[in-house]
Amino acid sequence: MAPHRRGDKYVTVIIDLTPVRAGTGPARLLGMIPGRSRAAFKAWLTQRPQAWREAVEVVAMDGFTGFKTAAAEEIPTAVAVMDPFRVVRLAGDVLSDCRRRVQQTTRGRAAVRTTRSTVPGEPCTPVPTCSPASRPPGSRRCSPSMSTSRSRPPGASTSG
């Protein structure tokens, strides 16, 4: 599917991946039809000979349900699958979302700074910080002896 040069019109690109699947050569362009709809793809399929449609085993497409519906109506014996590009992109998106959730769960929005314990295997401990309540009256700064520790947010990592 590619945007048309004028406005937001689209074309549906139909490619034969049989040579790639069989290892005999590159994919072949079968057609480019105006529009991105179930009706447009179905009309193109109905123009193909019945023997051609019966020979189709697999239809690889993006996630648009209109294409899947048209394929199911016109070539019901074919298996509908998502094209490899979309599979890899979706897997990458899911992995990025998972990494983001893990980072937010273990570190929180404002990560708590930790220092490594000097004993191997011991958990990290929060870095002492100064809170307004721990300052001496009239003081703008905390001395190291007056600092207090922040506790880690729920689910925060205790390892480095």
Side-chain angles (χ1 to χ4, degrees):
M1 188 66 55
H4 194 270
R5 287 187 177 179
R6 289 171 292 212
D8 55 21
K9 297 179 183 177
Y10 287 89
V11 295
T12 299
V13 179
I14 301 148
I15 299 171
D16 180 10
L17 295 172
T18 305
V20 174
R21 187 174 175 204
T24 59
R28 297 179 312 131
L29 178 66
L30 294 178
M32 290 180 61
I33 52 176
R36 182 182 202 283
S37 67
R38 179 186 68 82
F41 185 47
K42 184 175 178 171
W44 186 87
L45 287 171
T46 57
Q47 293 170 0
R48 306 294 75 113
Q50 183 65 30
W52 183 90
R53 285 184 276 156
E54 289 172 357
V56 174
E57 296 174 358
V58 179
V59 179
M61 61 188 88
D62 66 15
F64 176 54
T65 57
F67 294 151
K68 185 174 181 180
T69 303
E73 291 171 359
E74 294 302 316
I75 39 180
T77 58
V79 176
V81 298
M82 189 168 282
D83 71 71
F85 170 79
R86 302 294 181 312
V87 171
V88 171
R89 191 182 88 201
L90 287 172
D93 291 348
V94 169
L95 183 59
S96 292
D97 290 346
C98 182
R99 286 180 180 150
R100 238 184 320 281
R101 278 195 315 272
V102 167
Q103 181 68 26
Q104 289 175 354
T105 301
T106 59
R107 296 302 218 177
R109 291 258 181 222
V112 175
R113 291 179 15 174
T114 59
T115 56
R116 287 209 171 267
S117 169
T118 55
V119 180
E122 292 266 325
C124 294
T125 55
V127 173
T129 58
C130 180
S131 69
S134 65
R135 289 187 207 139
S139 174
R140 300 180 110 200
R141 294 185 172 193
C142 288
S143 67
S145 62
M146 296 299 297
S147 63
T148 60
S149 296
R150 285 189 292 181
S151 62
R152 287 186 298 273
S157 175
T158 58
S159 61

